[in-house]
Amino acid sequence: MHNKPEEPPKAIRLAAVGDILLSRSSQDESPRRGPALMSADLQALVAECDLVVGNLECTLPGDGRHVPTEPRVVATPGDLDAVAAAGLHVVTLANNHMFDCLEPGFLRLRRQLDEAGIRSFGAGMNLAEAEAPALVLVGGTKIAFLGAADRRSGPYQFAAAGQFGVAPLDLPRLVERIGVLRSEVDHVIVSLHWGEERLAIPSPVQIEQGRALIDAGASMVLGHHPHVLQGLEWWRERPVIYSLGNFLADDVRFSDGDLLKWNRTERTGCVLLAELRADGVTAVRQVPTYDNGRVVEVDRSGFGQKRIGRTSRALARGVTLRAYRW
């Protein structure tokens, strides 16, 4: 009897998107958008993936309190229903708007995510919760997601012992935790809120950090916060995308009636499609997207593809302190 040759392990298809900034239209909790956040073609593309991850950069109203600074990005329960319907499986909460309505808003948001079956990571009621990975099992492949925010990104509060907040970007601590997790899971994916807003290249510091996390054993680094694309590079045969850009960005109203509006570049992001096997990340593709204010769609204008190409070429040339005034 001849034994059948073992089939190679199936690749895990992962889709990663950037900033999801859902903001209610008024104080009555009316959502700005309908139940569909994506166009039909983009929804079909994402639905082909085994795992979809994004940066959920909004909170829910809590007990009426909020941080004193603006803008505040406050979503509605209906918005979160739309996120679940869009097919997101995992979201990072390590960002600078997660506690805009303090701990009551955060707890309400996390409770609704749990009820919808969406895993979250990167924030909590104490440091242990905030630093805890989201563990996902897909087709026998174990994946751990870690999230953290850089101090320059401006979170209201960082988690500590007995203190709610987001996980801080502490590089030595992240490196140590990646090392521990690598003995327990097949892949560690790190999601970071970092970088300077609206700059199309990462800083030399970001590049050093991203590469250090890959050196420590991370399979992939996913960046967000700048609200624009910042390029992708391969380091030791693993991808680091410094900013995925805005995926979905509602205009945000200030208390004085002023409005934060997003321009064409800021409405352009990408979906990162990746294949993960036991031996690493075998393929990556960036699909440009555009948020037209109603839904996010595949960008076929050529603008998004040019932005992707431009940022990646800038990375390939090398980012110096002179080119980037950090």
Side-chain angles (χ1 to χ4, degrees), residues 111-134:
R111 183 166 55 249
Q112 186 170 343
L113 291 174
D114 289 344
E115 291 171 353
I118 299 175
R119 305 284 185 88
S120 63
F121 62 99
M125 295 304 292
N126 52 55
L127 185 60
E129 278 190 9
E131 289 188 330

Side-chain angles (χ1 to χ4, degrees), residues 53-111:
V53 59
N55 170 44
L56 186 62
E57 195 163 356
C58 51
T59 187
L60 287 177
D63 59 5
R65 293 180 296 147
H66 51 69
V67 297
T69 55
E70 295 189 81
R72 294 184 283 268
V73 186
V74 184
T76 73
D79 288 323
L80 294 193
D81 289 339
V83 170
L88 272 86
H89 303 106
V90 187
V91 291
T92 176
L93 307 181
N95 56 64
N96 58 305
H97 289 291
M98 186 44 51
F99 288 93
D100 280 0
C101 291
L102 303 175
E103 68 270 40
F106 165 73
L107 289 172
R108 185 182 178 192
L109 174 123
R110 191 171 66 175
R111 183 166 55 249

Side-chain angles (χ1 to χ4, degrees), residues 100-299:
D100 280 0
C101 291
L102 303 175
E103 68 270 40
F106 165 73
L107 289 172
R108 185 182 178 192
L109 174 123
R110 191 171 66 175
R111 183 166 55 249
Q112 186 170 343
L113 291 174
D114 289 344
E115 291 171 353
I118 299 175
R119 305 284 185 88
S120 63
F121 62 99
M125 295 304 292
N126 52 55
L127 185 60
E129 278 190 9
E131 289 188 330
L135 299 173
V136 181
L137 181 65
V138 183
T141 299
K142 296 179 181 179
I143 303 172
F145 290 89
L146 291 173
D150 185 80
R151 294 190 180 276
R152 291 177 181 268
S153 68
Y156 169 72
Q157 186 163 279
F158 286 97
Q163 175 177 290
F164 70 86
V166 301
L169 201 175
D170 182 328
L171 187 62
R173 194 174 179 90
L174 275 172
V175 165
E176 180 180 0
R177 292 168 65 220
I178 290 169
V180 172
L181 283 169
R182 283 295 290 122
S183 64
E184 302 170 356
V185 301
D186 299 294
H187 294 283
V188 179
I189 297 175
V190 184
S191 180
L192 297 179
H193 208 64
W194 61 355
E196 194 72 16
E197 291 186 345
R198 297 171 179 82
L199 287 189
I201 55 174
S203 72
V205 172
Q206 283 175 264
I207 294 171
E208 291 175 6
Q209 292 172 331
R211 292 176 177 180
L213 295 172
I214 295 295
D215 289 343
S219 296
M220 185 185 306
V221 176
L222 306 172
H224 36 84
H225 175 63
H227 303 302
V228 294
L229 294 165
Q230 276 194 347
L232 179 149
E233 70 167 350
W234 288 85
W235 181 252
R236 303 195 187 282
E237 299 181 346
R238 297 172 186 175
V240 179
I241 185 161
Y242 289 97
S243 174
L244 289 150
N246 281 341
F247 181 65
L248 187 154
D250 285 337
D251 296 334
V252 182
R253 191 171 299 280
F254 288 74
S255 57
D256 63 2
D258 198 5
L259 195 65
L260 169 63
K261 295 183 70 67
W262 306 100
N263 62 31
R264 180 70 174 87
T265 300
E266 294 156 357
R267 288 184 173 276
T268 299
C270 77
V271 175
L272 182 73
L273 300 175
E275 288 189 359
L276 282 69
R277 294 188 183 272
D279 56 351
V281 181
T282 55
V284 161
R285 178 164 65 102
Q286 294 179 77
V287 178
T289 59
Y290 176 67
D291 178 11
N292 64 24
R294 301 179 305 279
V295 295
V296 185
E297 59 190 6
V298 176
D299 178 50

